[in-house]
Amino acid sequence: MKQKLSVFAVVLAVMLSGVPWASGQWVQTNLALRQGAFAFATLGTNLFAGDVFDTYRSTDDRVNWTSTGLATSNLVADGTILFAGADVEIYRSTDSGASWTFLLMPDASVNAFGVIDGNVFAATAAGGILRTSDSGKTWIESDSGAGRGMFLSFATLGGILFTATWGIFRSTDIGSSWSLDSGFLPDSVSVSALGVSGQNIFAATDGAGLWRSLDSGTTWRSINNGLPFDDWVYSFAVSGTRLFAAT
């Protein structure tokens, strides 16, 4: 059954082309979830949006959506595999959400997934970061230098993996060690989501709006033109020249 999801889409052809600090206009789509969209992922031409009741898939650039049958709060794609955090369980799909396979029951629910160089990272609500390098068969702890904070999002730019908590941490060695990104402004705020397109990295904060960096996190500028709310964004996904944000 087709559903409606309340999200915002922006056509960012100018902004994502690298023109310094240009901004696009956000417009609302017509798809409404019962508790908002907590997760986005793209896999090939498929766009996925998840909430605590189901995960939905669009194959026609957000016009129509169908259920995949798995309630989830976090999604990430690695190659042809889609990973999902469903309450305190981790699943994967190798057929674009047509079926799901159980992988792991961590010590708490999954807050976020990240991917770099074939490694998948999962941050749990209990704090800390787990990593798998074999498509989810085995997992190890991977949070040295970052502590066991409440990590809410990951993003990859070049060879750098970023994670969001109170501020932003970065790793240049596939999660073996982490350091605080001292260039992020504003400081001492909770970063709820990260997203990347080209050389752009985006950060959504709790109370300080949306931010963007063009230089791998060295400097940041706010970008809130057209957003109806600038205090909290749950998740990002990029599809072509469009940046999707769930509020």
Side-chain angles (χ1 to χ4, degrees):
M1 181 176 65
K2 296 178 181 178
Q3 302 288 335
K4 292 185 176 181
L5 172 66
S6 180
V7 300
F8 294 89
V10 59
V11 179
L12 294 176
V14 174
M15 180 176 174
L16 300 185
S17 68
V19 177
W21 313 123
S23 60
Q25 178 69 35
W26 293 85
V27 294
Q28 188 171 6
T29 65
N30 62 348
L31 185 72
L33 293 178
R34 283 173 283 181
Q35 287 194 358
F38 290 101
F40 277 124
T42 56
L43 182 61
T45 58
N46 297 284
L47 174 65
F48 296 86
D51 71 356
V52 296
F53 296 101
D54 208 336
T55 300
Y56 302 90
R57 179 181 63 198
S58 175
T59 60
D60 55 9
D61 194 22
R62 82 191 184 281
V63 176
N64 297 299
W65 299 80
T66 57
S67 167
T68 70
L70 181 70
T72 181
S73 57
N74 283 283
L75 297 163
V76 74
D78 179 31
T80 60
I81 301 175
L82 184 66
F83 290 84
D87 195 14
V88 294
E89 298 175 333
I90 298 176
Y91 289 81
R92 75 178 178 191
S93 175
T94 58
D95 52 14
S96 298
S99 63
W100 299 92
T101 300
F102 170 78
L103 295 177
L104 177 72
M105 182 178 290
D107 52 2
S109 59
V110 177
N111 284 338
F113 285 114
V115 175
I116 187 171
D117 293 341
N119 293 264
V120 177
F121 296 79
T124 73
I129 299 170
L130 301 174
R131 179 180 69 187
T132 179
S133 57
D134 54 12
S135 300
K137 296 177 182 177
T138 59
W139 299 78
I140 61 172
E141 291 187 1
S142 186
D143 50 30
S144 177
R148 295 188 61 84
M150 188 67 72
F151 301 99
L152 301 176
S153 184
F154 292 96
T156 301
L157 182 59
I160 304 174
L161 179 66
F162 296 84
T163 188
T165 178
W166 287 93
I168 297 173
F169 283 82
R170 66 165 73 192
S171 174
T172 58
D173 53 12
I174 315 179
S176 295
S177 62
W178 298 85
S179 61
L180 182 66
D181 185 348
S182 59
F184 179 70
L185 295 174
D187 57 3
S188 300
V189 299
S190 177
V191 180
S192 55
L194 297 170
V196 168
S197 177
Q199 294 303 306
N200 299 267
I201 180 168
F202 302 89
T205 69
D206 181 11
L210 287 167
W211 293 71
R212 184 182 71 167
S213 173
L214 289 173
D215 51 16
S216 300
T218 302
T219 59
W220 296 81
R221 291 281 298 272
S222 61
I223 50 163
N224 297 303
N225 183 31
L227 284 177
F229 307 103
D230 64 359
D231 58 345
W232 193 284
V233 173
Y234 287 106
S235 185
F236 286 108
V238 176
S239 179
T241 57
R242 292 184 175 89
L243 174 69
F244 294 84
T247 64

